[in-house]
Amino acid sequence: MWKPFTKNQSIAPALQAFRELDVEMFRTHVAQLNDAEQRALQFIKRSLEQDSPAHLELALEMKQPFSEIDRLFQTLVACQNRQQLLEMLLAHGLDVNQVYTLEGHRSIVRQPLHFPVGLYAARHPELWTLVATKLDVTYTMHLQRSDQFMETHELNLLDLVLLLDIEEELTIRVLDQLSECKATVGLAERLQRPTSPLLFKTIEANAYLPTFVYAKHYFPFYALIGRQTTLFPSLLKRVIQEPVASEICKDALLAFHNHHPGLAMTMGDVYIEQLFRMGLVLRDVGHVDFRKMDAEYVLPEYREVVYRLND
Protein backbone atom coordinates (compact mmCIF):
# COMPACT_ATOMS: atom_id res chain seq x y z
CA MET A 1 0.00 0.00 0.00
CA TRP A 2 1.28 3.50 -0.81
CA LYS A 3 2.52 5.44 2.20
CA PRO A 4 2.74 9.22 2.23
CA PHE A 5 6.16 10.74 2.80
CA THR A 6 6.64 11.71 6.43
CA LYS A 7 9.42 14.11 7.30
CA ASN A 8 11.36 13.26 10.43
CA GLN A 9 10.35 15.90 12.95
CA SER A 10 13.84 15.91 14.46
CA ILE A 11 15.49 17.36 11.34
CA ALA A 12 14.60 21.01 11.93
CA PRO A 13 15.49 20.99 15.67
CA ALA A 14 18.78 19.23 14.87
CA LEU A 15 19.70 21.89 12.32
CA GLN A 16 18.76 24.70 14.71
CA ALA A 17 20.72 23.15 17.57
CA PHE A 18 23.71 22.75 15.27
CA ARG A 19 23.58 26.38 14.16
CA GLU A 20 23.34 27.55 17.77
CA LEU A 21 25.99 25.09 19.00
CA ASP A 22 23.53 23.67 21.53
CA VAL A 23 25.47 20.45 21.99
CA GLU A 24 23.00 18.56 24.18
CA MET A 25 19.97 19.36 22.02
CA PHE A 26 21.97 18.52 18.91
CA ARG A 27 22.95 15.11 20.23
CA THR A 28 19.38 14.44 21.32
CA HIS A 29 17.81 15.19 17.94
CA VAL A 30 20.57 13.62 15.84
CA ALA A 31 19.97 10.37 17.69
CA GLN A 32 16.45 10.39 16.23
CA LEU A 33 17.75 10.50 12.65
CA ASN A 34 18.64 7.45 10.61
CA ASP A 35 21.99 7.17 8.80
CA ALA A 36 20.63 8.42 5.45
CA GLU A 37 19.07 11.48 7.07
CA GLN A 38 22.28 12.30 8.91
CA ARG A 39 24.34 12.03 5.72
CA ALA A 40 21.84 14.16 3.78
CA LEU A 41 22.19 17.02 6.26
CA GLN A 42 25.96 17.26 5.52
CA PHE A 43 27.00 18.73 8.83
CA ILE A 44 30.69 18.75 7.88
CA LYS A 45 29.97 20.84 4.80
CA ARG A 46 27.77 23.18 6.86
CA SER A 47 30.63 23.62 9.35
CA LEU A 48 33.03 24.68 6.60
CA GLU A 49 30.46 27.05 5.12
CA GLN A 50 30.27 28.72 8.53
CA ASP A 51 34.09 28.76 8.73
CA SER A 52 33.73 27.43 12.26
CA PRO A 53 36.11 24.98 13.99
CA ALA A 54 33.57 24.66 16.84
CA HIS A 55 30.83 23.54 14.44
CA LEU A 56 33.24 21.16 12.70
CA GLU A 57 34.22 19.57 15.99
CA LEU A 58 30.56 18.91 16.69
CA ALA A 59 29.96 17.53 13.20
CA LEU A 60 32.96 15.20 13.43
CA GLU A 61 31.48 13.65 16.58
CA MET A 62 29.05 11.83 14.30
CA LYS A 63 31.95 9.91 12.71
CA GLN A 64 30.29 9.82 9.33
CA PRO A 65 32.30 8.90 6.21
CA PHE A 66 33.54 11.89 4.24
CA SER A 67 31.65 12.64 1.03
CA GLU A 68 32.07 15.10 -1.84
CA ILE A 69 35.65 15.76 -0.75
CA ASP A 70 36.31 17.83 -3.86
CA ARG A 71 33.60 20.27 -2.75
CA LEU A 72 35.04 20.36 0.76
CA PHE A 73 38.36 21.57 -0.62
CA GLN A 74 36.58 24.18 -2.72
CA THR A 75 34.76 25.45 0.36
CA LEU A 76 37.97 25.50 2.42
CA VAL A 77 39.61 27.91 -0.03
CA ALA A 78 37.16 30.63 0.99
CA CYS A 79 37.57 30.02 4.75
CA GLN A 80 39.62 32.27 7.03
CA ASN A 81 40.27 29.29 9.31
CA ARG A 82 41.13 27.00 6.39
CA GLN A 83 44.34 25.66 7.91
CA GLN A 84 42.81 24.71 11.27
CA LEU A 85 39.74 23.21 9.60
CA LEU A 86 41.82 21.06 7.24
CA GLU A 87 44.05 19.92 10.11
CA MET A 88 40.93 18.76 11.94
CA LEU A 89 39.66 16.89 8.88
CA LEU A 90 43.01 15.19 8.35
CA ALA A 91 43.20 14.23 12.02
CA HIS A 92 39.80 12.52 11.66
CA GLY A 93 40.87 10.41 8.70
CA LEU A 94 40.36 12.48 5.56
CA ASP A 95 42.20 10.53 2.85
CA VAL A 96 43.86 12.88 0.38
CA ASN A 97 44.77 9.91 -1.83
CA GLN A 98 41.16 8.88 -2.36
CA VAL A 99 40.74 8.76 -6.14
CA TYR A 100 38.27 11.25 -7.54
CA THR A 101 36.97 11.15 -11.12
CA LEU A 102 36.45 14.26 -13.19
CA GLU A 103 34.00 13.20 -15.88
CA GLY A 104 34.94 13.53 -19.54
CA HIS A 105 32.47 16.31 -20.30
CA ARG A 106 34.23 18.49 -17.70
CA SER A 107 37.75 17.50 -18.71
CA ILE A 108 39.73 19.42 -21.34
CA VAL A 109 41.03 16.14 -22.76
CA ARG A 110 37.43 14.95 -23.21
CA GLN A 111 38.23 11.80 -21.25
CA PRO A 112 37.67 11.06 -17.56
CA LEU A 113 40.55 12.09 -15.30
CA HIS A 114 41.21 9.98 -12.21
CA PHE A 115 43.41 11.58 -9.55
CA PRO A 116 43.95 11.86 -5.78
CA VAL A 117 41.35 14.30 -4.49
CA GLY A 118 44.08 16.01 -2.48
CA LEU A 119 45.23 17.72 -5.67
CA TYR A 120 42.36 20.15 -5.15
CA ALA A 121 44.32 21.48 -2.16
CA ALA A 122 46.54 23.21 -4.73
CA ARG A 123 43.83 25.86 -4.93
CA HIS A 124 45.49 27.56 -1.96
CA PRO A 125 49.13 27.49 -0.71
CA GLU A 126 48.13 26.91 2.93
CA LEU A 127 46.01 23.89 2.03
CA TRP A 128 48.70 22.50 -0.27
CA THR A 129 51.34 22.73 2.48
CA LEU A 130 49.25 20.46 4.69
CA VAL A 131 48.35 17.96 1.98
CA ALA A 132 51.49 17.73 -0.15
CA THR A 133 53.52 15.48 2.14
CA LYS A 134 50.62 13.02 2.38
CA LEU A 135 50.07 12.62 -1.37
CA ASP A 136 51.31 9.59 -3.26
CA VAL A 137 53.62 11.40 -5.68
CA THR A 138 54.14 8.18 -7.66
CA TYR A 139 50.47 8.09 -8.71
CA THR A 140 49.84 7.80 -12.46
CA MET A 141 46.87 7.21 -14.75
CA HIS A 142 46.59 6.36 -18.44
CA LEU A 143 44.93 8.41 -21.14
CA GLN A 144 43.81 7.05 -24.51
CA ARG A 145 45.94 8.48 -27.32
CA SER A 146 44.13 10.32 -30.10
CA ASP A 147 46.74 9.50 -32.76
CA GLN A 148 47.28 5.78 -32.12
CA PHE A 149 44.51 3.25 -31.60
CA MET A 150 44.68 1.25 -28.37
CA GLU A 151 47.77 3.16 -27.20
CA THR A 152 47.88 5.35 -24.10
CA HIS A 153 49.83 8.20 -22.53
CA GLU A 154 50.85 7.99 -18.89
CA LEU A 155 49.91 11.04 -16.81
CA ASN A 156 51.69 11.87 -13.56
CA LEU A 157 50.57 14.24 -10.81
CA LEU A 158 52.15 17.28 -12.49
CA ASP A 159 50.26 16.53 -15.70
CA LEU A 160 47.03 16.27 -13.74
CA VAL A 161 47.67 19.51 -11.86
CA LEU A 162 48.31 21.34 -15.15
CA LEU A 163 45.07 19.98 -16.56
CA LEU A 164 43.21 21.12 -13.43
CA ASP A 165 44.82 24.56 -13.61
CA ILE A 166 42.36 25.28 -16.41
CA GLU A 167 39.42 25.24 -13.97
CA GLU A 168 41.02 27.51 -11.41
CA GLU A 169 44.48 29.02 -11.05
CA LEU A 170 46.56 26.79 -8.78
CA THR A 171 49.56 27.54 -6.60
CA ILE A 172 53.07 27.27 -8.04
CA ARG A 173 54.15 25.50 -4.84
CA VAL A 174 53.07 22.20 -6.34
CA LEU A 175 56.39 22.11 -8.20
CA ASP A 176 58.30 22.01 -4.91
CA GLN A 177 56.61 18.75 -4.03
CA LEU A 178 56.37 17.28 -7.54
CA SER A 179 59.97 17.96 -8.56
CA GLU A 180 60.45 14.38 -9.73
CA CYS A 181 57.53 14.61 -12.18
CA LYS A 182 58.06 15.73 -15.76
CA ALA A 183 55.05 17.13 -17.59
CA THR A 184 53.89 15.69 -20.92
CA VAL A 185 50.20 15.74 -21.88
CA GLY A 186 49.38 18.30 -19.21
CA LEU A 187 51.87 20.79 -20.64
CA ALA A 188 50.79 20.24 -24.25
CA GLU A 189 47.16 20.94 -23.38
CA ARG A 190 47.98 23.84 -21.07
CA LEU A 191 50.12 25.61 -23.71
CA GLN A 192 47.06 25.91 -25.93
CA ARG A 193 45.24 28.01 -23.34
CA PRO A 194 45.83 31.27 -21.48
CA THR A 195 49.04 31.37 -19.50
CA SER A 196 49.18 31.06 -15.71
CA PRO A 197 51.88 31.34 -13.03
CA LEU A 198 51.98 27.54 -12.75
CA LEU A 199 52.49 27.12 -16.50
CA PHE A 200 55.23 29.76 -16.47
CA LYS A 201 56.94 28.09 -13.51
CA THR A 202 56.80 24.67 -15.18
CA ILE A 203 58.70 26.02 -18.20
CA GLU A 204 61.11 28.00 -16.04
CA ALA A 205 61.94 24.93 -13.93
CA ASN A 206 62.35 22.67 -17.00
CA ALA A 207 59.78 20.36 -15.41
CA TYR A 208 58.83 18.67 -18.68
CA LEU A 209 60.10 16.16 -21.25
CA PRO A 210 61.38 18.38 -24.11
CA THR A 211 61.02 15.77 -26.88
CA PHE A 212 57.56 14.56 -25.93
CA VAL A 213 55.16 14.20 -28.88
CA TYR A 214 51.44 14.71 -28.33
CA ALA A 215 49.00 14.10 -31.19
CA LYS A 216 51.99 14.21 -33.59
CA HIS A 217 53.30 17.61 -32.41
CA TYR A 218 56.02 18.90 -30.08
CA PHE A 219 55.59 21.57 -27.40
CA PRO A 220 56.67 24.61 -29.48
CA PHE A 221 53.84 23.95 -31.93
CA TYR A 222 51.31 24.12 -29.09
CA ALA A 223 52.98 27.24 -27.68
CA LEU A 224 52.60 28.92 -31.08
CA ILE A 225 48.92 28.15 -31.46
CA GLY A 226 48.34 29.09 -27.83
CA ARG A 227 50.09 32.44 -28.44
CA GLN A 228 52.49 31.91 -25.51
CA THR A 229 54.70 34.84 -26.47
CA THR A 230 56.27 35.20 -23.00
CA LEU A 231 57.07 31.51 -22.58
CA PHE A 232 58.09 30.70 -26.14
CA PRO A 233 61.74 31.91 -26.03
CA SER A 234 62.56 29.88 -22.90
CA LEU A 235 60.77 26.83 -24.26
CA LEU A 236 62.53 26.96 -27.63
CA LYS A 237 65.99 27.52 -26.10
CA ARG A 238 65.49 24.35 -24.06
CA VAL A 239 64.19 22.07 -26.80
CA ILE A 240 66.76 23.03 -29.45
CA GLN A 241 69.41 21.48 -27.22
CA GLU A 242 67.94 18.09 -28.14
CA PRO A 243 69.22 15.91 -31.03
CA VAL A 244 65.83 16.28 -32.77
CA ALA A 245 65.92 20.09 -32.66
CA SER A 246 65.54 20.50 -36.42
CA GLU A 247 62.51 18.22 -36.41
CA ILE A 248 60.97 20.19 -33.55
CA CYS A 249 61.44 23.51 -35.39
CA LYS A 250 60.04 22.05 -38.60
CA ASP A 251 57.00 20.87 -36.68
CA ALA A 252 56.51 24.34 -35.17
CA LEU A 253 56.23 25.80 -38.67
CA LEU A 254 53.01 23.86 -39.17
CA ALA A 255 51.34 26.55 -37.08
CA PHE A 256 51.71 28.76 -40.16
CA HIS A 257 50.20 26.18 -42.48
CA ASN A 258 46.80 24.67 -42.00
CA HIS A 259 46.09 25.00 -38.29
CA HIS A 260 42.88 26.86 -37.37
CA PRO A 261 42.17 28.51 -40.71
CA GLY A 262 40.31 31.76 -40.13
CA LEU A 263 41.74 32.25 -36.64
CA ALA A 264 43.95 35.17 -37.65
CA MET A 265 41.09 36.91 -39.42
CA THR A 266 38.84 36.41 -36.40
CA MET A 267 41.33 37.66 -33.81
CA GLY A 268 42.82 40.45 -35.92
CA ASP A 269 46.13 42.26 -35.74
CA VAL A 270 46.93 41.23 -32.16
CA TYR A 271 47.12 37.57 -33.13
CA ILE A 272 49.23 38.34 -36.21
CA GLU A 273 51.71 40.34 -34.12
CA GLN A 274 51.95 37.57 -31.53
CA LEU A 275 52.66 35.05 -34.25
CA PHE A 276 55.25 37.38 -35.77
CA ARG A 277 57.06 37.78 -32.44
CA MET A 278 57.27 34.04 -31.96
CA GLY A 279 58.34 33.65 -35.59
CA LEU A 280 61.27 35.96 -34.85
CA VAL A 281 62.30 33.64 -32.02
CA LEU A 282 62.10 30.67 -34.38
CA ARG A 283 64.26 32.54 -36.87
CA ASP A 284 66.85 33.93 -34.47
CA VAL A 285 67.04 31.19 -31.85
CA GLY A 286 65.90 28.14 -33.80
CA HIS A 287 67.73 29.25 -36.98
CA VAL A 288 64.65 28.65 -39.10
CA ASP A 289 64.89 29.98 -42.67
CA PHE A 290 61.37 31.13 -43.53
CA ARG A 291 62.40 31.56 -47.17
CA LYS A 292 62.46 27.78 -47.46
CA MET A 293 58.89 27.32 -46.29
CA ASP A 294 56.53 25.71 -48.76
CA ALA A 295 54.56 28.79 -49.79
CA GLU A 296 51.73 26.70 -51.20
CA TYR A 297 50.98 25.35 -47.73
CA VAL A 298 51.06 28.71 -45.92
CA LEU A 299 47.56 29.98 -45.23
CA PRO A 300 46.80 33.26 -47.04
CA GLU A 301 46.15 35.00 -43.73
CA TYR A 302 49.68 34.13 -42.57
CA ARG A 303 51.56 35.09 -45.71
CA GLU A 304 52.18 38.65 -44.58
CA VAL A 305 53.80 37.32 -41.39
CA VAL A 306 56.03 34.97 -43.37
CA TYR A 307 57.05 37.79 -45.75
CA ARG A 308 58.05 39.95 -42.80
CA LEU A 309 60.05 37.07 -41.30
CA ASN A 310 61.92 36.71 -44.61
CA ASP A 311 63.38 40.21 -44.31
Side-chain angles (χ1 to χ4, degrees), residues 3 24-25 42 62 93 127 131 134 142 160 187 190 200 204 208 210 220 237 239 246 248 254 300 304 308-309:
K3 293 183 178 180
E24 293 305 319
M25 287 298 292
Q42 295 186 305
M62 300 170 66
L127 300 180
V131 165
K134 303 179 184 299
H142 289 85
L160 290 163
L187 181 58
R190 198 65 190 78
F200 188 86
E204 187 181 65
Y208 59 95
K237 286 176 184 177
V239 300
S246 60
I248 292 175
L254 294 175
E304 179 187 349
R308 291 168 64 190
L309 292 169

Side-chain angles (χ1 to χ4, degrees), residues 193-213:
R193 291 161 176 85
T195 192
S196 71
L198 179 57
L199 176 59
F200 188 86
K201 187 69 175 178
T202 302
I203 299 296
E204 187 181 65
N206 292 325
Y208 59 95
L209 295 180
T211 58
F212 177 73
V213 177

Side-chain angles (χ1 to χ4, degrees), residues 214-245:
Y214 180 58
K216 301 182 180 179
H217 295 292
Y218 294 95
F219 291 135
F221 171 83
Y222 293 113
L224 274 163
I225 65 175
R227 307 183 301 287
Q228 301 290 349
T229 52
T230 304
L231 300 175
F232 192 68
S234 299
L235 178 64
L236 194 65
K237 286 176 184 177
R238 172 65 185 89
V239 300
I240 63 172
Q241 298 173 25
E242 300 297 322
V244 292

Side-chain angles (χ1 to χ4, degrees), residues 37-299:
E37 289 168 335
Q38 290 183 21
R39 288 194 300 271
L41 293 178
Q42 295 186 305
F43 287 110
I44 291 177
K45 181 182 178 183
R46 292 173 187 271
S47 304
L48 302 186
E49 289 172 344
Q50 294 200 41
D51 197 0
S52 170
H55 283 86
L56 182 58
E57 183 177 358
L58 186 58
L60 290 171
E61 278 188 10
M62 300 170 66
K63 298 182 179 179
Q64 290 185 327
F66 294 105
S67 62
E68 298 184 351
I69 301 177
D70 59 312
R71 295 178 184 270
L72 297 185
F73 276 114
Q74 182 137 8
T75 306
L76 280 167
V77 171
C79 294
Q80 293 295 317
N81 297 306
R82 65 181 71 85
Q83 184 170 342
Q84 183 182 355
L85 293 169
L86 180 54
E87 286 173 342
M88 293 172 67
L89 292 171
L90 292 171
H92 281 77
L94 178 68
D95 182 9
V96 299
N97 287 303
Q98 178 181 321
V99 175
Y100 173 77
T101 298
L102 185 69
E103 297 300 334
H105 68 277
R106 292 181 54 203
S107 161
I108 65 171
V109 292
R110 295 295 181 263
Q111 295 182 47
L113 292 177
H114 312 285
F115 54 90
V117 73
L119 285 188
Y120 276 131
R123 288 170 168 155
H124 196 282
E126 287 182 22
L127 300 180
W128 179 255
T129 299
L130 291 173
V131 165
T133 56
K134 303 179 184 299
L135 278 173
D136 176 11
V137 295
T138 66
Y139 177 88
T140 59
M141 64 155 284
H142 289 85
L143 189 76
Q144 178 66 49
R145 292 183 60 161
S146 62
D147 58 338
Q148 292 190 28
F149 183 65
M150 296 298 289
E151 296 291 330
T152 60
H153 286 300
E154 185 176 84
L155 275 60
N156 56 41
L157 286 191
L158 180 54
D159 284 311
L160 290 163
V161 167
L162 286 166
L163 294 173
L164 293 176
D165 195 41
I166 302 295
E167 293 187 328
E168 189 172 336
E169 194 171 287
L170 305 183
T171 174
I172 62 173
R173 290 189 187 177
V174 296
L175 287 173
D176 297 332
Q177 194 66 28
L178 306 180
S179 58
E180 299 302 314
C181 298
K182 298 297 182 182
T184 55
V185 173
L187 181 58
E189 287 286 353
R190 198 65 190 78
L191 284 169
Q192 301 173 61
R193 291 161 176 85
T195 192
S196 71
L198 179 57
L199 176 59
F200 188 86
K201 187 69 175 178
T202 302
I203 299 296
E204 187 181 65
N206 292 325
Y208 59 95
L209 295 180
T211 58
F212 177 73
V213 177
Y214 180 58
K216 301 182 180 179
H217 295 292
Y218 294 95
F219 291 135
F221 171 83
Y222 293 113
L224 274 163
I225 65 175
R227 307 183 301 287
Q228 301 290 349
T229 52
T230 304
L231 300 175
F232 192 68
S234 299
L235 178 64
L236 194 65
K237 286 176 184 177
R238 172 65 185 89
V239 300
I240 63 172
Q241 298 173 25
E242 300 297 322
V244 292
S246 60
E247 184 179 335
I248 292 175
C249 289
K250 184 178 179 181
D251 174 67
L253 291 177
L254 294 175
F256 293 87
H257 286 182
N258 58 357
H259 189 82
H260 283 336
L263 184 63
M265 298 178 69
T266 301
M267 302 192 67
D269 294 340
V270 173
Y271 176 72
I272 291 294
E273 286 306 309
Q274 290 171 330
L275 199 59
F276 174 69
R277 286 169 56 189
M278 291 186 284
L280 285 176
V281 177
L282 271 175
R283 187 186 71 182
D284 300 338
V285 177
H287 308 295
V288 170
D289 187 348
F290 281 86
R291 290 171 296 185
K292 295 182 179 180
M293 285 186 68
D294 293 332
E296 61 186 285
Y297 293 115
V298 177
L299 285 177

